[in-house]
Amino acid sequence: MSIARIATFESKTGDSVEVFRGIDEPTRAKIYKGAFDPGIVKTLGTKDQRRFSPEAFPGWISKGGGRLPYTAQVNGDLAGLIWFGGEAFPRHHFPDSPAQPPYTMAFRTAYEAPGGGTFEGRGIGKRLAVAGLADVIALTRNGGPGGLPPVGKVGVWLDTGVANLDGQALYHHLGNTERGQEPVGFIDAGIYVPPVEPGAEPKESRVGMIIEPEMLEHIAANAGSLVTFEASR
């Protein structure tokens, strides 16, 4: 396991942010520690506590031909995480989706900041995602993990809770570089209402979202307006 710095940017609040591709043991430990932060627990429960535990991590990172994480760090503190991986589109949840990409991704920015609060609302998630998308498109130009096609040719899917309105707004406008522009990013693929099991509390409904190849190419082409890539990337 290793990491490489691929980009830098300044957050909306003046943070100097570094973007790293990959994961090493110190980074895994940071993500595991952050999985207990209240903001992460509020949105994910204990999912990341399981995924990034020393015992479960090797299996998780190798799933789907291999997952590719990207982290944003401010003075060594974990400020954001995204990851990409091969995972079949859940067509039984979102049967009316206009496309069924074989890649998924996930976002996290609700990590505790040293000065109080979290790293949310600083523009870090958007810029981290743009840097990661541009990088993973370039890395898979000739094919993805496990024999999958290039990310830029097939798109990416994700799902999120229906109450996560801030997240949905971010995903819809991921490729926008100015206010007032028409949305450039993910589009909705449907809503899945989980069945209620006897004696259990109802689970939150999920919004499925996809981003199609032409949108990905737009984001990759304009990524340099939001982040500064390393020359050696």
Side-chain angles (χ1 to χ4, degrees):
M1 296 188 294
S2 63
I3 63 170
R5 193 174 82 166
I6 65 162
T8 57
F9 63 87
E10 185 175 299
S11 76
K12 293 192 296 185
T13 51
D15 304 297
S16 180
V17 186
E18 298 177 288
V19 177
F20 294 91
R21 176 207 302 136
I23 195 165
D24 57 9
E25 177 53 25
T27 303
R28 182 209 62 78
K30 287 181 185 179
I31 298 171
Y32 180 63
K33 181 177 180 292
F36 293 85
D37 287 354
I40 298 296
V41 173
K42 181 180 178 181
T43 55
L44 296 173
T46 61
K47 289 180 180 178
D48 277 7
Q49 296 172 24
R50 297 193 300 271
R51 289 173 177 142
F52 293 95
S53 68
E55 300 78 18
F57 178 73
W60 179 84
I61 195 68
S62 62
K63 184 178 178 182
R67 299 195 184 281
L68 185 56
Y70 293 81
T71 54
Q73 301 192 37
V74 176
N75 296 322
D77 293 313
L78 180 66
L81 165 70
I82 63 170
W83 52 262
F84 300 91
E87 188 167 329
F89 181 83
R91 63 184 70 186
H92 55 294
H93 288 178
F94 309 110
D96 298 324
S97 174
Q100 299 179 353
Y103 291 97
T104 191
M105 69 179 297
F107 294 66
R108 286 104 171 91
T109 55
Y111 296 106
E112 290 187 333
T118 73
F119 284 102
E120 293 176 296
R122 305 189 189 190
I124 292 175
K126 179 188 181 86
R127 288 159 179 78
L128 171 60
V130 165
L133 279 167
D135 192 64
V136 80
I137 288 170
L139 289 176
T140 64
R141 287 285 184 199
N142 296 317
L148 288 172
V151 170
K153 298 295 185 184
V154 292
V156 179
W157 70 270
L158 60 78
D159 69 351
T160 188
V162 293
N164 183 17
L165 300 181
D166 289 343
Q168 292 171 46
L170 167 64
Y171 309 148
H172 284 144
H173 295 85
L174 199 59
N176 292 101
T177 55
E178 297 179 11
R179 291 184 179 276
Q181 294 177 321
E182 288 295 314
V184 177
F186 282 82
I187 59 174
D188 292 343
I191 295 177
Y192 170 65
V193 181
V196 179
E197 299 178 5
E201 290 290 324
K203 295 180 180 179
E204 184 182 15
S205 297
R206 308 290 293 178
V207 178
M209 308 179 81
I210 62 167
I211 187 165
E212 297 182 293
E214 58 269 26
M215 291 296 187
L216 287 177
E217 292 297 337
H218 174 90
I219 288 173
N222 291 280
S225 66
L226 293 174
V227 304
T228 301
F229 287 104
E230 295 289 314
S232 59
R233 163 179 160 263

